[in-house]
Amino acid sequence: MTPSKASAQAADICKLGPVVPVLIVENADDAVPMAEALVAGGLPALEVTLRTPAALEAIAAMAKVEGGVVGAGTLLTHKDVEAAKKAGALFGVSPGATDAVLDAAEANDLPLLPGAATASEVMRLLERGYTIQKFFPAETSGGAPALKALSSPLPQVKFCPTGGVSLSNVYDYLALPNTICVGGSWVAPANLVAAKDWDGIKKLATEAAALKT
Ligand code: 3PG
């Protein structure tokens, strides 16, 4: 299976660091200092979830941060994909995969990390050329043992496990041959964002960037 262009580009983004921070930005004014802290800590690929009214403005602001590669997460519809692209997102992430989202990403030339949690979901995405997928929700879908089990029949697919991943279990995932990177919100926790503790977030990013894939 030749990887689709969208998947090949998503692979390049996943290789930028061991962790893709999953960001929930409530206040667009936080976007630039948050992105600067994460990039300075060594995590250039940033996923801003489209879950808050500030998300698109945050993506547009973060897109100007030097060294950052900002993407949009929680893409659920065709419109989400178009809005993300218009805001300046360089990649997209979806918790699952619908034809509408896949078609929109391909039509808008947006590298996409679509979500899958079962062998059938993985196979369906593979049929469309997605050799890089998000394993979501990772921990409640069986965690690292489930992901390891998928590597045997489906070695050609690499994953970014996300959902419940933290420092306490990240090595279980990173040790697997089919993990390309992981996603997680632990590097920008809500309490540090609320306190505007950008140094604290940079410290968490530095620690995460040192994890070995
Ligand atoms: C999400 O989309 O919320 C991600 O899966 C992040 O999950 P986490 O907060 O458990 O890291």
Side-chain angles (χ1 to χ4, degrees):
M1 164 62 62
T2 311
S4 66
K5 187 177 163 206
S7 210
Q9 291 170 326
D12 290 341
I13 287 158
C14 287
K15 287 178 192 153
L16 291 173
V19 180
V20 178
V22 176
L23 307 172
I24 297 171
V25 185
E26 302 284 355
N27 179 353
D29 292 341
D30 292 338
V32 167
M34 190 190 299
E36 285 174 346
L38 292 162
V39 172
L43 299 178
L46 310 173
E47 175 192 337
V48 178
T49 56
L50 296 193
R51 288 182 211 171
T52 61
L56 290 170
E57 198 182 334
I59 289 169
M62 285 185 178
K64 296 186 189 119
V65 172
E66 212 183 315
V69 177
V70 64
T74 325
L75 299 179
L76 305 180
T77 66
H78 195 285
K79 277 190 176 160
D80 288 342
V81 173
E82 286 177 349
K85 178 85 183 184
K86 203 170 154 207
L90 296 176
F91 67 98
V93 185
S94 179
T98 62
D99 286 334
V101 168
L102 300 178
D103 290 346
E106 287 158 21
N108 285 275
D109 205 17
L110 187 72
L112 183 70
L113 197 55
T118 66
S120 293
E121 290 164 6
V122 173
M123 286 165 63
R124 189 173 172 276
L125 281 168
L126 190 56
E127 281 179 356
R128 286 190 64 150
Y130 287 91
T131 52
I132 307 291
Q133 303 177 15
K134 166 172 162 160
F135 178 55
F136 179 83
E139 276 295 282
T140 51
S141 300
L147 190 53
K148 185 178 180 196
L150 287 170
S151 77
S152 195
L154 294 156
Q156 64 276 61
V157 185
K158 306 285 181 241
F159 295 89
C160 173
T162 308
V165 180
S166 69
L167 278 183
S168 67
N169 57 16
V170 68
Y171 273 113
D172 297 340
Y173 290 101
L174 291 177
L176 300 178
N178 58 344
T179 293
I180 186 167
C181 65
V182 305
S185 62
W186 88 87
V187 286
N191 61 327
L192 295 193
V193 175
K196 299 193 188 295
D197 184 355
W198 311 125
D199 280 346
I201 287 177
K202 182 180 165 188
K203 221 168 143 191
L204 290 176
T206 305
E207 188 179 39
L211 295 167
K212 298 274 173 272
T213 47

